[in-house]
Amino acid sequence: MTISATFSSHGKILMSPIRKSEWANQPVLCKSVELFKNGRNQYRMSTNSNKFQCRALEIENKSSTKFHLDDVIESQQFDRETLSAIFEVAREMEKIEKNSIGGRSEILKGYLMATLFYEPSTRTRLSFESAMKRLGGEVLTTENAREFSSAAKGETLEDTIRTVEGYSDIIVMRHFESGAARRAASTASIPIINAGDGPGQHPTQALLDVYTIEREIGKLDGINVALVGDLAYGRTVRSLAHLLAMYEDVKIYFVSPDVVKMKDDIKDYLTSMGVQWEENADLIEVASKCDVVYQTRIQRERFGERVDLYEEARGKYIVDMSVVNAMQKHAVVMHPLPRLDEITVDVDGDPRAAYFRQAKNGLYIRMALLKLLLLGW
């Protein structure tokens, strides 16, 4: 006998019978039960009993005391407790990568992840693919879906998602339009992870950034952070600002060319959360006060035909050894990568250069998210 089931966020599996008349008003007699995943929170149940007669079966869910995670779309969906829980799982993933044979586990064996990237990516796409494979899963990938998929023929995002979800258990998507990840999540019946949506958000980058700050500085409350470079179009700094606002006594400095200043929506949000922020044009002065200098590149692709504005912004703020020498000994330089010339290569040898350690931390955060989205707690 087989019945369908829906797994609720409250720790119950609610059963719907195939033939209700066969079991109405009869007791439950069931020797064994198996669950088979069939889409997001949808399960197929098989039992060896022909007398499985009940309207609903409650099954204890160990994750009932933890947060419920369906998708990863934006930074605002998290709170401090959730971040701490994700970071705890990330530390477990680091142990798997460092201590297991071959640096991998088999907990996601049998699962397929589709990476759907409409914009170029190296680090984000490869770190997700590495994360999935290190947990025993498999990957279906497209590197430039904007040019080499049916999107080039005019297929809608919604149709693409409905098609790809039929081949996979989870979709990691990068798109050129802000809000695309939310559209995908509203369409899909499997988890969606936003790997960057135009100038909108990049929540997994923000998660790994905060994780890195905690690992490098040792705390998240009471820190000063400088966000430098392209603050208008940089989705990483927007997402990071949202997460930093969850912590106490944080001050954020904005250092950027005039044409790419932080937009008012983020400033207003920080003010509403009681977070101090300041715009300052003197990078060395700001660097001397901060625990973190978070540098970003000026993104040529966001300027369209306005090459003149790009050239005006590019190269105005560069982190070189004069900036690093002004920093405190415990402070760090971070960057979401790729970099062009906004951090000079001689900075790489300084122990305060944390950007490659930051990139490695992305593996652990993404392993944690895949585990939580597909298996829960």
Side-chain angles (χ1 to χ4, degrees), residues 74-332:
E74 60 185 5
S75 294
Q76 298 96 301
Q77 74 184 82
F78 302 107
D79 56 26
R80 284 188 64 152
E81 182 181 359
T82 304
L83 293 182
S84 295
I86 292 172
F87 295 166
E88 181 181 344
V89 178
R91 287 187 285 270
E92 294 174 6
M93 297 299 104
E94 184 172 355
K95 291 177 184 177
I96 288 175
E97 192 265 341
K98 290 183 176 179
N99 301 328
S100 300
I101 297 175
R104 58 181 288 148
S105 165
E106 296 295 324
I107 62 173
L108 293 186
K109 185 176 181 180
Y111 286 90
L112 279 169
M113 178 187 76
T115 56
L116 195 58
F117 280 63
Y118 290 82
E119 286 188 326
S121 171
T122 302
R123 277 148 294 276
T124 301
R125 183 173 60 85
L126 290 181
S127 68
F128 267 114
E129 293 179 6
S130 176
M132 189 63 174
K133 291 192 173 187
R134 287 187 180 278
L135 293 177
E138 297 295 332
V139 175
L140 305 173
T141 185
T142 176
E143 184 175 358
N144 191 347
R146 187 176 189 176
E147 183 177 352
F148 299 115
S149 77
S150 292
K153 304 173 185 177
E155 183 177 56
T156 66
L157 174 63
E158 286 76 9
D159 281 1
T160 299
I161 293 298
R162 289 188 183 100
T163 301
V164 174
E165 73 175 351
Y167 310 145
S168 57
D169 301 293
I170 188 168
I171 296 173
V172 179
M173 187 182 80
R174 169 169 290 183
H175 203 274
F176 51 89
E177 292 182 357
S178 180
R182 184 172 295 281
R183 287 169 53 201
S186 67
T187 301
S189 61
I190 63 175
I192 298 291
I193 298 179
N194 181 5
D197 57 345
Q201 289 221 26
H202 196 346
T204 68
Q205 179 70 48
L207 288 170
L208 76 90
D209 290 341
V210 174
Y211 183 66
T212 299
I213 293 171
E214 184 181 57
R215 295 287 298 270
E216 296 284 337
I217 305 301
K219 63 178 182 178
L220 291 165
D221 292 314
I223 61 173
N224 295 331
V225 179
L227 302 181
V228 186
D230 187 348
L231 308 186
Y233 304 110
R235 56 196 171 205
T236 62
V237 290
R238 292 175 59 82
S239 293
L240 179 56
H242 278 288
L243 293 190
L244 290 175
M246 299 175 188
Y247 297 91
E248 301 294 329
D249 300 321
V250 170
K251 183 169 183 179
I252 300 178
Y253 292 87
F254 299 131
V255 184
S256 67
D258 289 340
V259 294
V260 286
K261 284 190 172 184
M262 181 60 80
K263 294 182 178 178
D264 288 340
D265 65 324
I266 296 295
K267 296 175 185 176
D268 292 342
Y269 177 77
L270 294 175
T271 299
S272 72
M273 296 293 290
V275 178
Q276 293 186 66
W277 58 269
E278 175 186 318
E279 291 182 319
N280 194 315
D282 190 332
L283 178 56
I284 290 181
E285 178 189 345
V286 169
S288 69
K289 301 175 181 178
C290 287
D291 303 284
V292 178
V293 174
Y294 191 98
Q295 174 71 296
T296 64
R297 71 183 174 92
I298 305 298
Q299 301 177 77
R300 170 67 180 85
E301 61 270 28
R302 306 297 178 202
F303 285 83
E305 300 299 322
R306 295 303 305 272
V307 179
D308 57 324
L309 294 179
Y310 170 70
E311 292 298 337
E312 178 185 338
R314 181 172 178 261
K316 185 167 184 179
Y317 292 107
I318 294 177
V319 174
D320 55 20
M321 286 308 299
S322 66
V323 175
V324 173
N325 289 335
M327 295 170 58
Q328 301 171 70
K329 294 299 182 183
H330 74 278
V332 293

